[in-house]
Amino acid sequence: MRKKVIFGNWKMFKTNKEAIEFIQDAENKLKLPNNYVAGIAAPFTALSDLKKVSKNIIICAQNCHFKTNGAYTGEISIPMLKGIGITHVIIGHSERREMFAETSETVNEKLKSLLNEGLTPVFCCGESLEIYESKKTIDFIKEQIIKGFKDIKDSDAEKVIVAYEPIWAIGTGKTASPEQAQDVIKSIRDILSNIYTKDVASKIIIQYGGSVNPKNVNNILSQPDIDGALVGGSSIEVSSFLELFKTNEK
Ligand code: PGA
């Protein structure tokens, strides 16, 4: 059975002090249901200290460079992250694709380098409002996945976490309905089945992201192909982050 993996994504929020206070408080109060995994993607400045105070919450990075080292001013490499114990890294978030010239080609390089180093990539994909309205979502996502997973072998592909985040739902308060999200995520699993095998695709964790909050999370996670959530706004306060883990299943 695939686990339910809920990661908060703080984006460019929280000083180191605020980040530490959050994780200490959340670790004290978190009641993780069976089969659930919790994580927070924090800014680079907080990662090292958060690794020291976290216990059950996985501390993730929000980006990385694909080269080991070099003249890349302002960048952070995978060995640097690995050196402080980071195991999970978000790549290809739509905000990075839109504002920081991230392409499917660079996302593919990052995916390959992370897997080579034994880290878990959280591979983001998702369509704009324009593509959604012109009903080209699946074609668009298919291209992002084919390019993103180029030269990734079966045994590595199954280790990737995919996050489907329609851009029109990020930070807008507009969520895809659970059924809409299920349809696209089922298609993502079919695309992965075609590239790899059904068995490989059935092991891949696929999250939904885009205005997930404590009220809608359980309906979204009850869909058969949705294995978790990537959560921005509702992961900023400890109380709403913790509420994401209050399931109906207990
Ligand atoms: P949101 O962000 O939950 O604030 O919509 C999600 C994300 O960008 O990962």
Side-chain angles (χ1 to χ4, degrees):
M1 190 165 102
R2 292 187 302 266
K3 291 190 185 254
K4 298 283 187 203
V5 182
I6 303 179
F7 286 167
N9 173 16
W10 283 348
K11 310 188 180 189
M12 200 174 74
F13 288 93
K14 296 197 189 293
T15 62
N16 197 33
K17 184 170 175 282
E18 289 163 348
I20 293 170
E21 282 168 5
F22 178 110
I23 294 294
Q24 284 175 328
D25 192 17
E27 285 284 3
N28 284 336
K29 296 174 184 160
L30 177 67
K31 287 195 184 73
L32 207 51
N34 245 344
N35 209 38
Y36 271 60
V37 177
I40 286 283
F44 287 128
T45 43
L47 294 179
S48 184
D49 281 344
L50 293 189
K51 279 300 295 177
K52 291 175 195 141
V53 295
S54 64
K55 293 188 285 275
N56 295 311
I57 299 173
I58 296 175
I59 305 301
C60 319
Q62 297 175 13
N63 185 29
C64 63
H65 197 282
F66 50 88
K67 291 272 175 85
T68 306
N69 48 42
Y72 302 103
T73 302
E75 290 293 313
I76 303 283
S77 76
I78 297 162
M80 291 172 189
L81 294 171
K82 210 174 158 179
I84 55 165
I86 295 297
T87 52
H88 291 65
V89 183
I90 295 178
I91 54 172
H93 190 282
S94 60
E95 285 154 14
R96 296 215 56 88
R97 292 183 194 251
E98 287 193 324
M99 291 184 273
F100 302 98
E102 186 123 327
T103 63
S104 283
E105 288 69 30
T106 56
V107 176
N108 174 246
E109 293 295 337
K110 292 177 186 194
L111 195 60
K112 285 191 282 195
S113 301
L114 283 165
L115 291 164
N116 280 339
E117 291 283 350
L119 276 75
T120 303
V122 181
F123 171 95
C124 300
C125 58
E127 82 287 5
S128 64
L129 184 60
E130 202 190 341
I131 292 169
Y132 170 69
E133 284 179 342
S134 58
K135 303 200 186 319
K136 295 199 177 105
T137 297
I138 303 302
D139 288 344
F140 181 80
I141 307 271
K142 190 173 177 180
E143 189 175 327
Q144 281 188 325
I145 290 179
I146 289 173
K147 289 184 174 168
F149 277 74
K150 189 168 174 281
D151 299 328
I152 305 293
K153 56 180 196 285
D154 288 38
S155 56
D156 276 339
E158 63 187 45
K159 297 174 189 152
V160 178
I161 297 176
V162 174
Y164 165 60
E165 300 200 297
I167 297 170
W168 49 270
I170 295 179
T172 57
K174 278 190 219 156
T175 341
S177 69
E179 294 75 21
Q180 266 177 319
Q182 161 62 23
D183 280 354
V184 180
I185 288 180
K186 167 80 172 64
S187 300
I188 292 175
R189 210 177 289 289
D190 290 343
I191 294 165
L192 290 164
S193 282
N194 288 332
I195 303 176
Y196 299 101
T197 62
K198 209 162 178 245
D199 181 53
V200 168
S202 73
K203 290 182 184 148
I204 297 178
I205 301 281
I206 311 181
Q207 299 173 318
Y208 168 79
S211 298
V212 175
N213 60 46
K215 287 206 175 74
N216 61 25
V217 67
N218 284 323
N219 282 339
I220 292 169
L221 265 58
S222 67
Q223 297 295 319
D225 282 284
I226 306 183
D227 309 316
L230 188 55
V231 186
S234 290
S235 71
I236 295 293
E237 300 295 332
V238 174
S239 56
S240 57
F241 176 69
L242 293 176
E243 271 187 64
L244 297 168
F245 297 90
K246 286 197 180 138
T247 69
N248 303 326
E249 291 166 23
K250 276 186 288 179

